[in-house]
Amino acid sequence: MGLSCGIVGLPNVGKSTIFNALTRSAAALAANYPFATIEPNVGDVPVPDPRLEVLAEIEHSKRIINAVVRFVDIAGLVRGASSGAGLGNAFLAHIRETDAIAMVVRCFADSNVTHVEGETDPLRDIDIIATEMALADLATLTKRIDRLEREARANPKLGPRLAAARALQAALDSGTAARTFPVDSLEADVASELFLLTAKPLLYVANIDEAQIGDLGPLPKAVFARAAAQGDRAIAFCGKVESELVGLSEAETREFCADLGIERGALDQLVLTAYEMLGLMTFLTAGPKETRAWTIVQGTKAPKAAGTIHSDIERGFIRAEVVSYDDYARLRAMEALRAAGLVRSEGKDYVMQEGDVVNFLHSG
Ligand SMILES: Nc1nc2c(ncn2[C@@H]2O[C@H](COP(=O)(O)OP(=O)(O)OP(=O)(O)O)[C@@H](O)[C@H]2O)c(=O)[nH]1
Ligand SMILES: [Mg+2]
């Protein structure tokens, strides 16, 4: 299972700059003019996981495969996009099927970089983007409601779905995002069936000045406060500095960061926050061929976890041999782990735990 994250924001706020930093590439054109991005940029970013190297060393694995998060960088949205302003909002279709949304908000001051709204004002910008996403969702909902009204006349069982769709419409009309409905509600079910943008978990990325690294100014603080008030997440990120690190070696990066007096890790933090926000976790497999991290939703049982590796393993699931990563890293050999009674044999009702190192036994 992969995790994907769409990047939204006004034009020229640094979406492509951040995308390039994340994917450690210069694949996306980052340019000092609005609407530099037209076609979406798609890139896979490995989820940092220091446990993989330790396991690979123990097992003499030929290769390491990290879990990945896919980022999709799209064109900037502007006020009125839903009615066709700017590039319109048709390109939002590129992120409809992503699992989460990262909203880049400009918090850097740079008179050389045009702001489409004039002054730098992150809260106003957030409102513009939130409104445009809500309007896109409303258009989707209106179509669905029209159809449900017809269908519900023939099939009264659809009544509750129609009511849920109307409740979503009313919420969006009053400026409330679809993600505020409880996850197990019918509204949430309808919202996810329709891939509503405002139903997805939202992460604010405050794009800050170099000078604000480690010492946030009022603009990113306002973004953090807004996120907290809505129950959303926020992180600060300096797109400019992070993109300058692209292409440098680890040693050069350390030197560069030391010179600037900053700590590494904004990129890792972004990826890990996206991962965490979605209630995902990792289990590991290790062997001479490869050591690998696999992404599952928290609460997944052993057979379904096996299915992420291959559907045959899920179908023929017999049991799982499980060792906790900490034990593995400490004893460093299967024989020693067995002797210490640390290799557990788990059946089909076992709920996977973070950091389980697993060997699935299966038939067929
Ligand atoms: N000073 C400063 N400039 C930045 C920062 N991040 C991005 N920029 C500059 O802002 C301009 C726009 O950046 P892009 O990454 O192309 O912005 P975008 O949001 O992808 O823009 P569109 O694709 O046009 O919607 C570029 O000239 C970047 O170099 C930053 O943290 N500080
Ligand atoms: Mg761009």
Side-chain angles (χ1 to χ4, degrees):
M1 194 189 85
L3 152 65
S4 58
C5 185
I7 305 177
V8 301
L10 288 178
N12 234 10
V13 295
K15 297 181 297 299
S16 296
T17 303
I18 288 175
F19 173 87
N20 284 338
L22 279 169
T23 54
R24 294 177 169 80
S25 73
L29 172 68
N32 186 9
Y33 51 86
F35 304 118
T37 303
I38 297 175
E39 288 302 315
N41 300 299
V42 181
D44 289 338
V45 178
V47 178
D49 192 339
R51 297 172 300 189
L52 293 174
E53 274 184 39
V54 176
L55 289 176
E57 190 195 308
I58 297 171
E59 293 292 332
H60 305 289
S61 311
K62 284 210 185 65
R63 56 179 188 159
I64 290 179
I65 304 180
N66 290 68
V68 294
V69 180
R70 168 162 294 183
F71 284 91
V72 183
D73 166 38
I74 58 170
L77 271 172
V78 291
R79 198 192 286 278
S82 59
S83 50
L87 299 179
N89 69 7
F91 56 83
L92 282 176
H94 297 301
I95 58 164
R96 269 167 59 92
E97 292 183 28
T98 57
D99 303 303
I101 302 283
M103 188 196 294
V104 178
V105 187
R106 174 166 169 173
C107 295
F108 63 86
D110 185 340
S111 53
N112 294 317
V113 179
T114 316
H115 193 302
V116 289
E117 289 279 326
E119 289 299 295
T120 306
D121 179 349
L123 296 185
R124 173 206 56 209
D125 294 357
I126 288 173
D127 288 337
I128 294 173
I129 300 301
T131 302
E132 291 307 319
M133 290 205 293
L135 289 170
D137 283 354
L138 274 169
T140 308
L141 261 173
T142 306
K143 271 190 244 151
R144 181 74 184 128
I145 289 170
D146 283 350
R147 210 168 71 224
L148 270 172
E149 278 170 350
R150 282 197 307 278
E151 289 170 0
R153 276 196 287 273
N155 178 4
K157 279 205 192 111
L158 290 172
R161 278 198 104 64
L162 176 59
R166 286 190 177 132
L168 277 165
Q169 187 182 40
L172 286 165
D173 261 332
S174 69
T176 306
R179 64 183 171 283
T180 54
F181 286 91
V183 279
D184 53 1
S185 63
L186 197 51
E187 285 83 1
D189 195 49
V190 171
S192 90
E193 172 195 273
L194 294 176
F195 299 105
L196 295 189
L197 295 168
T198 66
K200 301 179 196 294
L202 177 67
L203 171 65
Y204 291 104
V205 181
N207 190 7
I208 55 172
D209 287 315
E210 269 172 63
Q212 294 187 64
I213 300 176
D215 180 22
L216 295 181
L219 298 184
K221 280 191 179 149
V223 175
F224 277 72
R226 169 68 65 91
Q230 296 175 164
D232 296 318
R233 308 283 294 263
I235 63 165
F237 194 96
C238 180
K240 192 158 178 240
V241 167
E242 293 293 337
S243 63
E244 281 164 11
L245 297 175
V246 174
L248 297 188
S249 68
E250 262 312 305
E252 286 168 329
T253 302
R254 267 196 301 274
E255 195 182 340
F256 184 98
C257 290
D259 283 352
L260 282 173
I262 58 174
E263 280 191 44
R264 208 55 239 288
L267 283 173
D268 291 358
Q269 203 198 341
L270 205 167
V271 177
L272 291 173
T273 307
Y275 208 71
E276 204 183 280
M277 207 166 76
L278 292 165
L280 299 174
M281 56 167 268
T282 305
F283 75 88
L284 307 152
T285 54
K289 203 175 113 218
E290 66 185 33
T291 284
R292 181 160 182 172
W294 304 85
T295 304
I296 49 174
V297 174
Q298 286 165 16
T300 300
K301 291 187 179 170
K304 189 138 185 271
T308 59
I309 301 177
H310 200 290
S311 56
D312 288 349
I313 312 181
E314 179 173 1
R315 235 173 321 188
F317 180 88
I318 299 172
R319 63 193 171 86
E321 280 189 337
V322 184
V323 180
S324 298
Y325 168 79
D326 290 338
D327 294 333
Y328 216 111
R330 193 161 45 86
L331 294 183
R332 303 177 72 88
M334 265 319 225
E335 305 82 75
L337 286 159
R338 278 191 211 285
L342 293 172
V343 182
R344 288 174 280 133
S345 177
E346 303 285 5
K348 62 179 175 23
D349 287 327
Y350 175 68
V351 175
M352 301 293 290
Q353 301 296 309
E354 174 62 44
D356 278 347
V357 184
V358 192
N359 178 27
F360 291 109
L361 303 177
H362 60 103
S363 61

